[in-house]
Amino acid sequence: MSVINNANPGSHIASLHFIDRLVNRHFSKKNKSEEHLPLTAILSSNMPDYLFIDEECDSQGEFKRSTNPEKKLRETLFFWKETGLWQQNEEGIKAWSEFSCDDNLGERITQTLFKEKLDIVDGTGIEPLLRGMALFLCLDSFTFAGGNFFKPTEIEAIVGKYLPPRSGNDTRLTINSSETATFANYGLLLGFLEQVTKDTLVVDPTRLIRPAVIKILKNSGAASEMPVEEFLIQLSGILPVIDGGAYRCTIEELIRSKVKDWKSLPEHELSASLSQALYRLNIEGVIFLVPKSDAEKTMQLNLPGNKKRPVSHIRFGVEK
């Protein structure tokens, strides 16, 4: 089962939140060494009404009652259990940490997605989501710098424009109309998309990269300035869908096979999506982008208004 192959995206995300809250609540009441939460307990718990609501309305304008919420709950539970979002044994599942909560669900999913190398081209489980993430992070036109916002209903056409319909092994690479809303929902949850208006989205991975950026700079020392080249190597190692990452490079090759005149950015420039994210973290005071004129390596950020900003080093905090 693909994580985005779901005809009812609302119930899919709601089921995930519901299960995760049950698991976190159970863990918070127990010692770390105590029992896992049995899967039967999760599947038999009193499910909130929103899990039973379909996206379509009846003739009176009321939302229909879904006929298979148990199926969606079971699918979501077993998919994310096998993907490794929670600890598991023969007894059931439990949270990895007592600090697991709603606020860090997206971060925990991201860590789960990238914990091991996957077949980004032919995989059919979590890989379709990763392919879509890497693709949209490649498309500068759909960032704030590019100025083009898009609707979830347009995702199918966008992906179809840039990716071949099938891989060499006949794996479907596109996202069809029944999957676009789920893909958009996960994009918002994980932080590589942001909502612009009620109906439109933009590519902006600020929330996606924030935990990894903080981790890298903490490991380098709070007062030190890390060369941007070294920083990007580490960041793309943690998040292989961003500039220079293994998944990103593979997706760029797929784009070139479909769009013959598509070109990657020059080696010294960052994509508009990563530029936007780093610039926002700089404005927020999480990091400071240092432009040293005598540095061996300088990268250019591509920002709104066709502006460029040089950066040679990155460190914690605001400018001194």
Side-chain angles (χ1 to χ4, degrees):
M1 181 187 78
S2 165
V3 71
I4 62 171
N5 184 14
N6 191 296
N8 190 338
S11 72
H12 193 286
I13 296 291
S15 295
L16 175 57
H17 278 287
F18 171 69
I19 296 167
D20 194 59
R21 286 167 186 160
L22 284 180
V23 174
N24 295 340
R25 190 179 305 126
H26 178 79
F27 189 93
S28 66
K29 294 180 179 178
K30 304 290 182 180
N31 295 322
K32 294 181 185 178
S33 60
E34 296 222 8
E35 71 270 13
H36 291 58
L37 181 62
L39 303 187
T40 52
I42 296 172
L43 295 172
S44 63
S45 295
N46 293 321
M47 289 182 281
D49 287 341
Y50 59 75
L51 292 181
F52 294 86
I53 302 301
D54 206 339
E55 291 196 320
E56 297 181 3
C57 294
D58 59 23
S59 58
Q60 281 74 45
E62 299 292 333
F63 284 103
K64 297 178 181 179
R65 182 109 169 151
S66 177
T67 57
N68 61 349
E70 292 87 358
K71 177 184 176 184
K72 298 303 180 187
L73 187 71
R74 179 178 290 274
E75 287 177 352
T76 302
L77 171 61
F78 281 91
F79 180 88
W80 286 109
K81 178 179 79 72
E82 294 305 317
T83 306
L85 183 57
W86 310 288
Q87 297 185 65
Q88 63 170 308
N89 63 14
E90 65 280 358
E91 298 174 359
I93 58 177
K94 72 175 181 179
W96 286 103
S97 167
E98 69 270 29
F99 299 110
S100 296
C101 62
D102 278 0
D103 289 344
N104 58 32
L105 175 58
E107 178 183 350
R108 288 185 284 120
I109 291 176
T110 299
Q111 291 173 347
T112 302
L113 298 183
F114 300 120
K115 67 182 179 182
E116 59 186 47
K117 185 173 176 56
L118 300 171
D119 187 346
I120 191 65
V121 176
D122 290 308
T124 57
I126 201 67
E127 293 87 353
L129 176 62
L130 298 179
R131 282 196 294 270
M133 286 177 64
L135 172 65
F136 273 88
L137 292 173
C138 287
L139 304 179
D140 284 356
S141 62
F142 296 106
T143 63
F144 285 110
N148 294 310
F149 308 141
F150 60 95
K151 298 178 181 179
T153 53
E154 296 172 322
I155 290 173
E156 179 182 19
I158 293 170
V159 175
K161 178 180 178 180
Y162 290 98
L163 290 185
R166 296 273 173 177
S167 73
N169 292 327
D170 203 34
T171 299
R172 178 168 63 88
L173 300 179
T174 53
I175 296 175
N176 62 40
S177 58
S178 67
E179 299 167 332
T180 56
T182 302
F183 178 81
N185 284 343
Y186 272 109
L188 292 169
L189 176 61
L190 301 182
F192 69 92
L193 299 178
E194 294 293 350
Q195 198 96 34
V196 180
T197 68
K198 178 182 176 182
D199 300 318
T200 59
L201 304 168
V202 68
V203 177
D204 179 357
T206 306
R207 291 185 292 116
L208 175 71
I209 74 167
R210 183 194 301 268
V213 169
I214 293 173
K215 178 182 178 181
I216 291 168
L217 293 179
K218 276 186 177 179
N219 290 341
S220 72
S224 65
E225 293 179 346
M226 178 177 286
V228 66
E229 188 173 23
E230 179 184 345
F231 170 83
L232 291 172
I233 290 172
Q234 292 195 35
L235 185 62
S236 63
I238 296 172
L239 300 171
V241 292
I242 63 104
D243 300 29
Y247 296 165
R248 174 66 160 267
C249 292
T250 298
I251 296 302
E252 289 183 1
E253 287 298 319
L254 287 175
I255 296 173
R256 275 189 285 271
S257 73
K258 177 69 181 281
V259 184
K260 300 304 181 183
D261 60 349
W262 192 85
K263 293 183 175 62
S264 301
L265 286 169
E267 186 178 316
H268 66 282
E269 291 189 22
L270 298 181
S271 66
S273 59
L274 183 56
S275 298
Q276 171 75 26
L278 292 174
Y279 188 65
R280 282 188 62 187
L281 292 177
N282 180 82
I283 291 175
E284 293 170 14
V286 176
I287 62 174
F288 178 61
L289 305 173
V290 184
K292 291 187 176 180
S293 58
D294 59 347
E296 290 185 14
K297 182 83 171 183
T298 297
M299 302 291 290
Q300 294 286 340
L301 273 62
N302 286 289
L303 299 172
N306 203 29
K307 295 180 180 178
K308 307 282 187 181
R309 172 166 175 164
V311 55
S312 62
H313 293 75
I314 298 179
R315 64 168 168 79
F316 268 128
V318 296
E319 184 174 9
K320 294 178 181 178

